[in-house]
Amino acid sequence: MPLSLLIWLPAVSGLVAVLWPARWAPRVVLAGSVITLVLAIGYVASFDRGAEGLQWVTDETWIAELGIHYKLGLDGLNLFLVLVTALLFAAALLHANLREWERPRLFFFMFALAESAVLGAFLAQDLALFVAFFDLMLIPFYFLIGAWGRGERVRATTKLVIYTLVGSLFMLAGAIATGVIAAEGGGELTFVLSDLAQVQLAEGTQQWIFLCFALAFLVKMPLFPVHGWMPDGYRAMPLPVLAVFSAVLSKVAAYGFLRVVLPLYPDASVHFQELMLLLAVAAILYGSVMAFTQTDLRLILGFSSMAQLGFIVLGIFALRPEGAQGALLQMVNHALVVVPLFFVVGALAARAGGSEDIRDMGGMAARAPLLAATFLIAALANLAMPGFANFVGEFYILLGVFESKLAIAIVASTGVVLASVYMLRAFIATMHNRAGSRAESRELSLGEGVAIVPLVVCVLALALYPQLPLARSEKSIDASVRTAQAVQR
Amino acid sequence: MTPEAPHIDWAGLSPIVALTAGGIVVLAAGLFRGAWLRRYGVPLLTLLTLGATAGLSIWQWGEDKAIVSRALAVDDLAMFLNLLFCAGAIAAVVLALRDSSPEESGHGEWHALLISSVLGMTVLASAQNLVVVFLGFELLSIPLYVMCATNLRRSKSLESGLKYLIVGSVGSATLLYGLAMIYGATGATGFEQIATALSSQAGLIDDPLTLTGIGLIVVGFCFKVSAAPFHQWTPDVYEGAPTPVTAFMAVATKAAAFGAFVRLFDVALIDAATNWSPLLAAVAVASIVVGNVGALTQTSLKRLLAWSSIAQAGYMLAAVVVADREGVEALAFYLAVYLVMNLAAFAVIVARERETPFGDDIRSLAGLGASRPALAWPMTLAMLSLAGIPATAGFIGKFTLIGATVDGGYTWLGVAIVVGSMLSLYYYLRVVAAMWLSDVPVPAAREPVPAIAGGSPELDAAADPEDGAGQDAGPDRPVSQAEATAVAVLFGAATLFFGILPSPLFDLARDAGSALGLL
């Protein structure tokens, strides 16, 4: 089965939805995303964990003149990210189906296009194709946030898009330079990642290209100094859009480090290792402290995500297989946890007169044990309670960092403690405490339950069996980190 | 020896002959009294002429010869540019079908001027002789001066024509001076002879006469391609001229001037490259900065596109600076992409100028995504493409441009293009935001639309696969601009198509790029 099917199925369902009557659009796109999910599960089930390298490779020449290939492939790095993407988009579309949207055809078309672009970015095995999908991801979100957002949506959208596109343009320049410079000296111009990895660029070249890519990825995540778009953006996004944005798009950026940066620019990765680790620690501390001081639930989750992504970057730039393994597991964990958390925020807001401020909530657990239970499970998972896969992920990450940079690991481990502080604060303030004036305790409705509970079940399943992704990603992780690790020694 | 009649290669001359003959026929047809003939017959004849020229250019594809004592090159670069001129002119004729400017100035004259301007462009694009360069330059400019002022009852249009005339004449004079100095320094007018002279005579490259000549030529061309710091006329002229004329001027003049630019500098003056490339690189960077900064605060769409065209001229100049085959290829590709995306945008502006009382103000686009998706989509694609977003032709175009600069050893110019694109995001996205993110348009927007014959809602609906919901508006729905919508949809679709499958266009651009015999 070609991987193109997986990528383009959502977009096709979006086009079909545009052509059919408006009231069917939500269902059609939801159906498309569910079929995509089934396909993704099929890939995971038949993935050969013993084999090295890419599986189900599609390799067509796209633009021969520029050496750009339409090359797709699955390996341990992207297998579970693809699965999680398909799962979370299906969940978000289910959630979006629970309410009415203005101009539903355009909304669901854009949503479907977003899924296609994200899957494309994960599956692309050509640098130019990756950059193209990476930039393309933003276009549907521009419309989704700008046209269906809340509050100061236009300003927030413009800010978000300009921030991320500026990063992307640097990345574009870096990508073109990589291909062109690698072809100097008689080689044929190509952007295929596996070919580019054979060529070692000069260290100075690697360094500036590394900075271009790092900027693009750090803005997308976002990490501490370049997160300016995040508060406004998070406040403005419609909830299902926010859920996938926070869960999946940040992972594309982190995945980019593993897929592109470490194998292609190993010297620069070692050169800038300490810088990246310090940025990661800064993000962990800053994110945690900010999450602790915010009262808007969206921002609490936003800054908590920043701290989690700090951990992920920390793991990647430990430049050790253990660290990168932990980072990859943590990407899956965080994506899987943050979406039900955002849905819970939506449910809570519906019970607090539309407010998402924790000061307007309280006592929500009284008559809603299921809501409280799901929130508690997701919150405990997010704070990396031992027993959850998040704990395994953070453990691996810190293990990797302890091996390479002891001092940084010690500082970073305080982030684990801080996480329990801000997550439990959010839980207690909303669920227990004294009831807010507008707060009303009500059990999950059927629709909310259908969207939230399966995801929480997935979190629990992963807690019981974290080896599922770990075993399948080991070989690819080793391959990704190998060159950089060799440089370091 | 008896003097022999010179051999005339009619096949090679055929596009020029077709345009000349067509221009005369159109001018004569405009003299007849029948309103139908003037209103529809003249545009039809013009379209036939342009179509024939395009056909003849395709016929001459791959001939690669020099005619008229080697003064005109019939090579793939010239033919490629011919196709662009014809596409631009055809779009202008279609967009002007219901415009007031041909009405006011006489259909025959307006269309004959358009054809002669195209003729000038064809001559300029194939010129490889200094005298012919100037001939083509003037033949393309003079009709345009007049066409800018064809909205006789609008003072802005007259102002635009006058401004263009004065500034353009200064540019022409400067260019002529420069050409004369090159002739004085090298003793030749043919490009090949100039190149031979520059490479064989020691010290000629650094001769003050040559240097002054090159400097003046650069200035003259910069006026025409509207590169900073010789760009000041552009926003005013673009804004004042009738919009179909602006559309034609923006895409075709730029293509013609760049065609001559690249031929003159990358063939005749290639040995002096060390002297002119820093100059051109500086002009390119200045244009990128000035154009993008100037566009940031514009509220008139035509002015916005004018500033954006200054920035785009900067991007394309970078390809001239590189001066290798890849550079010319990237330039040819980008010129085609530039044409496609700008025509889509201008077609939308034309339609909205007639449908709303806001003229070309950005307010005329408010809520377009909901009310007229058939116009909003092409405009969106055009803006995203101008900004260089993937899945549009502009992305591939910028990709090739940056690739060419990096490969040619001008990485910093590539970075300048990237930085310029960052600035440009702000104003291109503002246009997109106005269409999709702003609320319903002001009700007054729907009033003063003259009921013009020929509006066909059916065609509009047929061209509108994205959202049929836009069609159920009440009877106060403005008369749809069917032909402008069609142009917009066509070029919008082309923007998307070449963004996903650029190979057909690449094949053409590669032929065009190898025409100059550069490495």
Side-chain angles (χ1 to χ4, degrees), chain A residues 16 21 24 37 88 166 191 255 265 272 278 292 316 329 338 354-355 362 370 374 395 400 410 484:
Chain A
V16 171
W24 290 2
L37 174 61
L88 296 180
V166 164
F191 287 91
Y255 163 80
Y265 319 113
F272 290 114
L278 286 176
F292 184 63
I316 293 171
L329 181 61
V338 82
S355 164
L370 189 57
T374 49
F395 181 79
I410 292 171

PDB file of all heavy atoms in Angstrom, chain A residues 16 21 24 37 88 166 191 255 265 272 278 292 316 329 338 354-355 362 370 374 395 400 410 484:
ATOM      1  N   VAL A  16     -13.906  16.127  -1.105  1.00  0.00           N
ATOM      2  CA  VAL A  16     -15.233  15.525  -1.257  1.00  0.00           C
ATOM      3  C   VAL A  16     -16.249  16.305  -0.425  1.00  0.00           C
ATOM      4  O   VAL A  16     -17.348  16.619  -0.874  1.00  0.00           O
ATOM      5  CB  VAL A  16     -15.196  14.045  -0.826  1.00  0.00           C
ATOM      6  CG1 VAL A  16     -16.598  13.467  -0.775  1.00  0.00           C
ATOM      7  CG2 VAL A  16     -14.333  13.250  -1.783  1.00  0.00           C
ATOM      8  N   PRO A  21     -23.203  18.508   0.139  1.00  0.00           N
ATOM      9  CA  PRO A  21     -23.929  19.500   0.935  1.00  0.00           C
ATOM     10  C   PRO A  21     -23.236  19.778   2.269  1.00  0.00           C
ATOM     11  O   PRO A  21     -22.590  18.899   2.843  1.00  0.00           O
ATOM     12  CB  PRO A  21     -25.287  18.839   1.170  1.00  0.00           C
ATOM     13  CG  PRO A  21     -25.448  17.893   0.041  1.00  0.00           C
ATOM     14  CD  PRO A  21     -24.087  17.449  -0.336  1.00  0.00           C
ATOM     15  N   TRP A  24     -23.140  17.562   5.447  1.00  0.00           N
ATOM     16  CA  TRP A  24     -22.402  16.305   5.480  1.00  0.00           C
ATOM     17  C   TRP A  24     -20.916  16.500   5.701  1.00  0.00           C
ATOM     18  O   TRP A  24     -20.203  15.556   6.017  1.00  0.00           O
ATOM     19  CB  TRP A  24     -22.600  15.531   4.166  1.00  0.00           C
ATOM     20  CG  TRP A  24     -23.981  14.991   4.017  1.00  0.00           C
ATOM     21  CD1 TRP A  24     -25.015  15.172   4.895  1.00  0.00           C
ATOM     22  CD2 TRP A  24     -24.487  14.199   2.954  1.00  0.00           C
ATOM     23  NE1 TRP A  24     -26.135  14.545   4.439  1.00  0.00           N
ATOM     24  CE2 TRP A  24     -25.836  13.926   3.229  1.00  0.00           C
ATOM     25  CE3 TRP A  24     -23.934  13.682   1.787  1.00  0.00           C
ATOM     26  CZ2 TRP A  24     -26.644  13.171   2.386  1.00  0.00           C
ATOM     27  CZ3 TRP A  24     -24.722  12.932   0.950  1.00  0.00           C
ATOM     28  CH2 TRP A  24     -26.079  12.677   1.241  1.00  0.00           C
ATOM     29  N   LEU A  37      -6.689   6.685  10.139  1.00  0.00           N
ATOM     30  CA  LEU A  37      -6.225   6.082  11.391  1.00  0.00           C
ATOM     31  C   LEU A  37      -6.110   4.569  11.243  1.00  0.00           C
ATOM     32  O   LEU A  37      -5.121   3.962  11.675  1.00  0.00           O
ATOM     33  CB  LEU A  37      -7.188   6.446  12.522  1.00  0.00           C
ATOM     34  CG  LEU A  37      -6.924   5.766  13.867  1.00  0.00           C
ATOM     35  CD1 LEU A  37      -5.561   6.135  14.398  1.00  0.00           C
ATOM     36  CD2 LEU A  37      -8.004   6.158  14.874  1.00  0.00           C
ATOM     37  N   LEU A  88      -4.922  11.553  16.763  1.00  0.00           N
ATOM     38  CA  LEU A  88      -5.334  12.807  17.373  1.00  0.00           C
ATOM     39  C   LEU A  88      -6.163  13.655  16.427  1.00  0.00           C
ATOM     40  O   LEU A  88      -7.075  14.359  16.857  1.00  0.00           O
ATOM     41  CB  LEU A  88      -4.099  13.567  17.862  1.00  0.00           C
ATOM     42  CG  LEU A  88      -3.356  12.807  18.973  1.00  0.00           C
ATOM     43  CD1 LEU A  88      -2.145  13.575  19.423  1.00  0.00           C
ATOM     44  CD2 LEU A  88      -4.279  12.537  20.142  1.00  0.00           C
ATOM     45  N   VAL A 166       8.891  33.154   9.272  1.00  0.00           N
ATOM     46  CA  VAL A 166      10.248  33.695   9.274  1.00  0.00           C
ATOM     47  C   VAL A 166      11.227  32.568   9.571  1.00  0.00           C
ATOM     48  O   VAL A 166      12.233  32.385   8.875  1.00  0.00           O
ATOM     49  CB  VAL A 166      10.371  34.835  10.295  1.00  0.00           C
ATOM     50  CG1 VAL A 166      11.821  35.137  10.590  1.00  0.00           C
ATOM     51  CG2 VAL A 166       9.693  36.085   9.765  1.00  0.00           C
ATOM     52  N   PHE A 191      18.159  16.391  -3.122  1.00  0.00           N
ATOM     53  CA  PHE A 191      17.732  16.761  -1.776  1.00  0.00           C
ATOM     54  C   PHE A 191      17.284  15.545  -0.973  1.00  0.00           C
ATOM     55  O   PHE A 191      16.750  15.691   0.118  1.00  0.00           O
ATOM     56  CB  PHE A 191      16.611  17.802  -1.847  1.00  0.00           C
ATOM     57  CG  PHE A 191      17.092  19.165  -2.257  1.00  0.00           C
ATOM     58  CD1 PHE A 191      17.117  19.543  -3.588  1.00  0.00           C
ATOM     59  CD2 PHE A 191      17.548  20.059  -1.313  1.00  0.00           C
ATOM     60  CE1 PHE A 191      17.577  20.785  -3.961  1.00  0.00           C
ATOM     61  CE2 PHE A 191      18.010  21.301  -1.683  1.00  0.00           C
ATOM     62  CZ  PHE A 191      18.033  21.661  -3.010  1.00  0.00           C
ATOM     63  N   TYR A 255      10.768  16.361  15.749  1.00  0.00           N
ATOM     64  CA  TYR A 255      11.123  15.267  14.842  1.00  0.00           C
ATOM     65  C   TYR A 255      12.141  15.747  13.810  1.00  0.00           C
ATOM     66  O   TYR A 255      13.050  14.999  13.430  1.00  0.00           O
ATOM     67  CB  TYR A 255       9.849  14.766  14.180  1.00  0.00           C
ATOM     68  CG  TYR A 255      10.021  13.939  12.941  1.00  0.00           C
ATOM     69  CD1 TYR A 255      10.343  12.597  13.022  1.00  0.00           C
ATOM     70  CD2 TYR A 255       9.839  14.501  11.676  1.00  0.00           C
ATOM     71  CE1 TYR A 255      10.495  11.839  11.872  1.00  0.00           C
ATOM     72  CE2 TYR A 255       9.986  13.757  10.534  1.00  0.00           C
ATOM     73  CZ  TYR A 255      10.317  12.433  10.633  1.00  0.00           C
ATOM     74  OH  TYR A 255      10.460  11.687   9.493  1.00  0.00           O
ATOM     75  N   TYR A 265      23.874  17.464   9.953  1.00  0.00           N
ATOM     76  CA  TYR A 265      24.818  18.461  10.474  1.00  0.00           C
ATOM     77  C   TYR A 265      25.401  17.982  11.803  1.00  0.00           C
ATOM     78  O   TYR A 265      25.243  18.649  12.834  1.00  0.00           O
ATOM     79  CB  TYR A 265      24.128  19.816  10.638  1.00  0.00           C
ATOM     80  CG  TYR A 265      23.194  20.143   9.495  1.00  0.00           C
ATOM     81  CD1 TYR A 265      21.822  20.227   9.680  1.00  0.00           C
ATOM     82  CD2 TYR A 265      23.702  20.319   8.210  1.00  0.00           C
ATOM     83  CE1 TYR A 265      20.971  20.490   8.626  1.00  0.00           C
ATOM     84  CE2 TYR A 265      22.852  20.583   7.145  1.00  0.00           C
ATOM     85  CZ  TYR A 265      21.490  20.663   7.359  1.00  0.00           C
ATOM     86  OH  TYR A 265      20.652  20.908   6.319  1.00  0.00           O
ATOM     87  N   PHE A 272      27.002  23.024  18.830  1.00  0.00           N
ATOM     88  CA  PHE A 272      25.976  23.812  19.518  1.00  0.00           C
ATOM     89  C   PHE A 272      25.257  23.015  20.596  1.00  0.00           C
ATOM     90  O   PHE A 272      24.218  23.440  21.088  1.00  0.00           O
ATOM     91  CB  PHE A 272      24.955  24.350  18.516  1.00  0.00           C
ATOM     92  CG  PHE A 272      25.503  25.419  17.618  1.00  0.00           C
ATOM     93  CD1 PHE A 272      25.638  25.213  16.259  1.00  0.00           C
ATOM     94  CD2 PHE A 272      25.892  26.637  18.139  1.00  0.00           C
ATOM     95  CE1 PHE A 272      26.143  26.201  15.428  1.00  0.00           C
ATOM     96  CE2 PHE A 272      26.395  27.623  17.315  1.00  0.00           C
ATOM     97  CZ  PHE A 272      26.531  27.406  15.962  1.00  0.00           C
ATOM     98  N   LEU A 278      21.210  24.337  27.073  1.00  0.00           N
ATOM     99  CA  LEU A 278      20.874  25.472  27.942  1.00  0.00           C
ATOM    100  C   LEU A 278      19.514  26.056  27.577  1.00  0.00           C
ATOM    101  O   LEU A 278      18.715  26.387  28.460  1.00  0.00           O
ATOM    102  CB  LEU A 278      21.965  26.540  27.844  1.00  0.00           C
ATOM    103  CG  LEU A 278      23.271  26.173  28.561  1.00  0.00           C
ATOM    104  CD1 LEU A 278      24.328  27.231  28.323  1.00  0.00           C
ATOM    105  CD2 LEU A 278      23.015  26.007  30.056  1.00  0.00           C
ATOM    106  N   PHE A 292       2.879  27.899  36.346  1.00  0.00           N
ATOM    107  CA  PHE A 292       2.472  27.985  37.738  1.00  0.00           C
ATOM    108  C   PHE A 292       1.773  29.301  38.050  1.00  0.00           C
ATOM    109  O   PHE A 292       0.941  29.373  38.957  1.00  0.00           O
ATOM    110  CB  PHE A 292       3.708  27.821  38.624  1.00  0.00           C
ATOM    111  CG  PHE A 292       3.398  27.807  40.073  1.00  0.00           C
ATOM    112  CD1 PHE A 292       2.608  26.809  40.612  1.00  0.00           C
ATOM    113  CD2 PHE A 292       3.871  28.802  40.901  1.00  0.00           C
ATOM    114  CE1 PHE A 292       2.296  26.800  41.949  1.00  0.00           C
ATOM    115  CE2 PHE A 292       3.559  28.806  42.246  1.00  0.00           C
ATOM    116  CZ  PHE A 292       2.774  27.798  42.773  1.00  0.00           C
ATOM    117  N   ILE A 316      17.067  15.034  22.942  1.00  0.00           N
ATOM    118  CA  ILE A 316      17.661  14.934  21.604  1.00  0.00           C
ATOM    119  C   ILE A 316      19.128  15.363  21.658  1.00  0.00           C
ATOM    120  O   ILE A 316      20.007  14.709  21.105  1.00  0.00           O
ATOM    121  CB  ILE A 316      16.874  15.805  20.612  1.00  0.00           C
ATOM    122  CG1 ILE A 316      15.468  15.234  20.424  1.00  0.00           C
ATOM    123  CG2 ILE A 316      17.597  15.883  19.283  1.00  0.00           C
ATOM    124  CD1 ILE A 316      14.548  16.133  19.651  1.00  0.00           C
ATOM    125  N   LEU A 329       9.821   8.905  22.769  1.00  0.00           N
ATOM    126  CA  LEU A 329       8.706   8.402  23.566  1.00  0.00           C
ATOM    127  C   LEU A 329       7.916   9.571  24.155  1.00  0.00           C
ATOM    128  O   LEU A 329       6.686   9.570  24.176  1.00  0.00           O
ATOM    129  CB  LEU A 329       9.231   7.497  24.676  1.00  0.00           C
ATOM    130  CG  LEU A 329       8.165   6.878  25.582  1.00  0.00           C
ATOM    131  CD1 LEU A 329       7.221   6.012  24.766  1.00  0.00           C
ATOM    132  CD2 LEU A 329       8.801   6.064  26.686  1.00  0.00           C
ATOM    133  N   VAL A 338      -1.862  15.756  25.849  1.00  0.00           N
ATOM    134  CA  VAL A 338      -2.288  17.148  25.819  1.00  0.00           C
ATOM    135  C   VAL A 338      -3.651  17.299  25.142  1.00  0.00           C
ATOM    136  O   VAL A 338      -4.424  18.190  25.486  1.00  0.00           O
ATOM    137  CB  VAL A 338      -1.191  18.020  25.176  1.00  0.00           C
ATOM    138  CG1 VAL A 338      -1.268  17.979  23.674  1.00  0.00           C
ATOM    139  CG2 VAL A 338      -1.277  19.438  25.683  1.00  0.00           C
ATOM    140  N   GLY A 354     -18.405  29.476  30.079  1.00  0.00           N
ATOM    141  CA  GLY A 354     -17.554  29.841  28.953  1.00  0.00           C
ATOM    142  C   GLY A 354     -16.185  30.342  29.348  1.00  0.00           C
ATOM    143  O   GLY A 354     -15.317  30.511  28.502  1.00  0.00           O
ATOM    144  N   SER A 355     -15.968  30.555  30.633  1.00  0.00           N
ATOM    145  CA  SER A 355     -14.666  31.068  31.053  1.00  0.00           C
ATOM    146  C   SER A 355     -13.663  29.916  31.139  1.00  0.00           C
ATOM    147  O   SER A 355     -14.008  28.800  31.525  1.00  0.00           O
ATOM    148  CB  SER A 355     -14.799  31.752  32.407  1.00  0.00           C
ATOM    149  OG  SER A 355     -13.530  31.915  32.977  1.00  0.00           O
ATOM    150  N   GLY A 362     -13.943  25.495  40.065  1.00  0.00           N
ATOM    151  CA  GLY A 362     -13.815  24.972  41.420  1.00  0.00           C
ATOM    152  C   GLY A 362     -14.971  24.056  41.720  1.00  0.00           C
ATOM    153  O   GLY A 362     -16.085  24.247  41.212  1.00  0.00           O
ATOM    154  N   LEU A 370     -16.555  10.958  36.452  1.00  0.00           N
ATOM    155  CA  LEU A 370     -15.856  10.522  35.247  1.00  0.00           C
ATOM    156  C   LEU A 370     -14.963  11.646  34.729  1.00  0.00           C
ATOM    157  O   LEU A 370     -13.793  11.438  34.374  1.00  0.00           O
ATOM    158  CB  LEU A 370     -16.875  10.108  34.184  1.00  0.00           C
ATOM    159  CG  LEU A 370     -16.274   9.430  32.948  1.00  0.00           C
ATOM    160  CD1 LEU A 370     -15.468   8.212  33.348  1.00  0.00           C
ATOM    161  CD2 LEU A 370     -17.373   9.062  31.969  1.00  0.00           C
ATOM    162  N   THR A 374     -10.940  11.330  34.409  1.00  0.00           N
ATOM    163  CA  THR A 374     -10.160  11.493  33.180  1.00  0.00           C
ATOM    164  C   THR A 374      -9.148  12.620  33.333  1.00  0.00           C
ATOM    165  O   THR A 374      -7.997  12.492  32.911  1.00  0.00           O
ATOM    166  CB  THR A 374     -11.079  11.795  31.982  1.00  0.00           C
ATOM    167  OG1 THR A 374     -11.969  12.832  32.345  1.00  0.00           O
ATOM    168  CG2 THR A 374     -11.854  10.579  31.550  1.00  0.00           C
ATOM    169  N   PHE A 395      12.633   9.652  32.262  1.00  0.00           N
ATOM    170  CA  PHE A 395      13.736   8.908  32.848  1.00  0.00           C
ATOM    171  C   PHE A 395      14.846   8.663  31.820  1.00  0.00           C
ATOM    172  O   PHE A 395      16.019   8.932  32.069  1.00  0.00           O
ATOM    173  CB  PHE A 395      13.214   7.569  33.394  1.00  0.00           C
ATOM    174  CG  PHE A 395      14.267   6.740  34.050  1.00  0.00           C
ATOM    175  CD1 PHE A 395      14.673   7.027  35.353  1.00  0.00           C
ATOM    176  CD2 PHE A 395      14.883   5.697  33.381  1.00  0.00           C
ATOM    177  CE1 PHE A 395      15.657   6.275  35.959  1.00  0.00           C
ATOM    178  CE2 PHE A 395      15.866   4.940  33.985  1.00  0.00           C
ATOM    179  CZ  PHE A 395      16.253   5.228  35.282  1.00  0.00           C
ATOM    180  N   GLY A 400      20.098   9.977  29.558  1.00  0.00           N
ATOM    181  CA  GLY A 400      20.992  10.388  28.478  1.00  0.00           C
ATOM    182  C   GLY A 400      21.775  11.625  28.851  1.00  0.00           C
ATOM    183  O   GLY A 400      22.981  11.724  28.604  1.00  0.00           O
ATOM    184  N   ILE A 410      21.093  17.842  36.376  1.00  0.00           N
ATOM    185  CA  ILE A 410      20.629  18.103  37.744  1.00  0.00           C
ATOM    186  C   ILE A 410      19.649  19.270  37.755  1.00  0.00           C
ATOM    187  O   ILE A 410      18.578  19.202  38.371  1.00  0.00           O
ATOM    188  CB  ILE A 410      21.836  18.379  38.654  1.00  0.00           C
ATOM    189  CG1 ILE A 410      22.645  17.094  38.793  1.00  0.00           C
ATOM    190  CG2 ILE A 410      21.371  18.876  40.022  1.00  0.00           C
ATOM    191  CD1 ILE A 410      23.966  17.267  39.481  1.00  0.00           C
ATOM    192  N   ALA A 484      26.496  11.935  15.033  1.00  0.00           N
ATOM    193  CA  ALA A 484      26.802  13.006  15.974  1.00  0.00           C
ATOM    194  C   ALA A 484      27.571  12.447  17.168  1.00  0.00           C
ATOM    195  O   ALA A 484      28.533  13.063  17.653  1.00  0.00           O
ATOM    196  CB  ALA A 484      25.524  13.681  16.437  1.00  0.00           C
TER     197      ALA A 484
END
